[in-house]
Amino acid sequence: VLSSPTSPELKVLQQLPPGSEVVGVGRSLAELALSESQLADVDILAISGVGANAAKKADVQDVWPTLKGLKWIYSSSAGLENLLFPELIESPVLLTNAKGVYSNSLAEYALTACNWFAKDLPRLQRAKADRNWDPYEVEELRGKTMGVVGYGDIGQACARLARAFKMHVVGLRRRAELSEKEKQEGLVDAMYTPDQLTELMSQSDYVVMSTPYTPQTEKLVNAAAIAAMKPNAVFINVGRGKCVDEEALIEALKSRRIRGAGLDVFATEPLPAESELWGLDNVLMSPHCADRTKEFQIESLEFFVLNVRRWLAQEPLQNVVDKRAGY
């Protein structure tokens, strides 16, 4: 297990089924303190931890050549851009991630951002600070359209909550066709492909971006897509910051070309102090922590334990990643 030995979520590994054994825990090859033969016998590598407790990509690359018998890597992250490297991509080693573990919390954040603007919560804060009783009209989310750019697990969770608010939902992904299960659930009114992005942007009152970062999604939401948004529309990003042209977004926000943005992710993290985003009053910001609940790493390892059970039973693993696609 590549993680700090003090990571509290590691207690979940006590639930591993018979037939599996944790032989070492550490953020680096030195911390693992395993012999050459012990490393060569490792079948599964789990990468866990957050912040100071997490192993870095360089640590994974450092231990990689020693794991001669490695068959499967589990990442407790959903995004993989900070893990993938050429040797791993080209190898037969399976890679799974924690897709789905973070979807509910990110969907809650997205709807919070919608309501932040619909109810003009900053105005309430200012009025309270000024002891000013100042009633005003607020908006409902009911009847508004949410456009979901990246209709994967996170996007679907956003759509479910949007439907609870009686919003319309349109989605975007590589495949426009809906599965039978998706048709039965009835979450989306229309599904678009990436070449129809500006159409989705122009229809949406709230655009939620939930794409992973890959070379194909870099600046997917570009200046033209932002220019297609309604003047009163809000852009919300719970995916990856590099998937939007941040400079074009800042210009649209500064000029009030769009109403505002709710951002949990940024092109550069931590967000530089000189970024103009800090000073914009029409931006709700959080430091990439919308999914950092008390339980999120615990639930991620619980998912890993379930997958280990499948592995030992010779059943297909869940969340197998297409390493070349990056998700």
Side-chain angles (χ1 to χ4, degrees):
V1 179
L2 278 184
S3 173
S4 169
T6 61
S7 295
E9 67 271 11
L10 294 181
K11 63 185 179 183
V12 173
L13 297 180
Q14 296 171 9
Q15 302 171 21
L16 282 167
S20 57
E21 176 190 6
V22 176
V23 294
V25 179
R27 282 166 296 190
S28 64
L29 191 57
E31 279 192 7
L32 286 172
L34 296 173
S35 69
E36 186 177 331
S37 61
Q38 286 176 311
L39 288 164
D41 286 340
V42 169
D43 299 297
I44 304 168
L45 178 66
I47 304 169
S48 185
V50 63
N53 287 330
K56 308 302 180 188
K57 179 178 179 177
D59 299 315
V60 182
Q61 290 176 292
D62 189 34
V63 74
W64 171 263
T66 70
L67 304 177
K68 308 294 186 184
L70 188 64
K71 298 180 179 65
W72 167 30
I73 293 179
Y74 171 71
S75 169
S76 64
S77 252
L80 297 166
E81 69 273 17
N82 293 320
L83 169 62
L84 289 168
F85 52 93
E87 293 85 357
L88 170 57
I89 293 171
E90 298 298 331
S91 77
V93 173
L94 290 172
L95 176 63
T96 63
N97 67 354
K99 181 184 73 173
V101 171
Y102 312 112
S103 299
N104 289 336
S105 55
L106 292 174
E108 287 184 17
Y109 180 89
L111 269 295
T112 297
C114 292
N115 268 312
W116 178 269
F117 290 96
K119 304 300 184 282
D120 199 355
L121 298 186
R123 177 171 177 168
L124 291 180
Q125 290 180 311
R126 292 192 300 269
K128 182 173 182 289
D130 295 339
R131 299 174 181 267
N132 180 24
W133 184 268
D134 182 26
Y136 63 97
E137 289 186 355
V138 297
E139 292 181 6
E140 288 186 80
L141 295 182
R142 180 183 59 167
K144 296 294 191 290
T145 297
M146 174 184 285
V148 181
V149 181
Y151 193 75
D153 203 88
I154 296 169
Q156 290 173 43
C158 292
R160 289 187 188 98
L161 287 191
R163 284 298 195 186
F165 281 86
K166 301 187 185 306
M167 298 178 76
H168 304 294
V169 179
V170 293
L172 181 143
R173 65 184 182 193
R174 289 187 300 175
R175 176 176 51 84
E177 296 78 21
L178 298 179
S179 68
E180 287 303 315
K181 181 180 178 182
E182 288 172 332
K183 290 176 183 177
Q184 290 172 10
E185 193 168 10
L187 293 178
V188 291
D189 298 296
M191 186 67 72
Y192 296 113
T193 51
D195 61 310
Q196 299 172 300
L197 175 61
T198 54
E199 188 172 347
L200 176 142
M201 302 290 281
S202 66
Q203 289 184 11
S204 303
D205 300 292
Y206 297 89
V207 176
V208 177
M209 187 154 207
S210 57
T211 50
Y213 174 72
T214 70
Q216 289 70 40
T217 62
E218 183 167 1
K219 293 187 179 180
L220 174 65
V221 172
N222 55 22
I226 294 167
M229 293 177 69
K230 297 178 180 180
N232 204 43
V234 174
F235 179 80
I236 300 163
N237 197 350
V238 293
R240 287 294 185 265
K242 291 181 180 179
C243 296
V244 60
D245 184 336
E246 197 168 273
E247 292 305 315
L249 177 63
I250 289 171
E251 288 305 313
L253 292 164
K254 285 168 56 180
S255 64
R256 306 284 173 170
R257 171 63 188 77
I258 62 173
R259 183 177 186 178
L263 307 174
D264 184 53
V265 292
F266 305 88
T268 301
E269 297 181 4
L271 184 66
E274 62 270 19
S275 171
E276 292 184 273
L277 288 169
W278 291 107
L280 298 179
D281 62 3
N282 55 346
V283 178
L284 169 66
M285 287 170 39
S286 53
H288 202 156
C289 64
D291 58 358
R292 195 174 293 196
T293 66
K294 185 183 295 185
E295 302 85 7
F296 84 123
Q297 283 292 300
I298 290 174
E299 291 176 346
S300 177
L301 281 187
E302 287 175 341
F303 178 74
F304 169 65
V305 168
L306 292 175
N307 240 358
V308 172
R309 295 182 186 277
R310 298 177 69 88
W311 175 267
L312 293 175
Q314 298 184 336
E315 297 174 359
L317 296 178
Q318 293 183 326
N319 286 8
V320 175
V321 169
D322 181 337
K323 293 182 290 184
R324 293 189 183 280
Y327 58 94

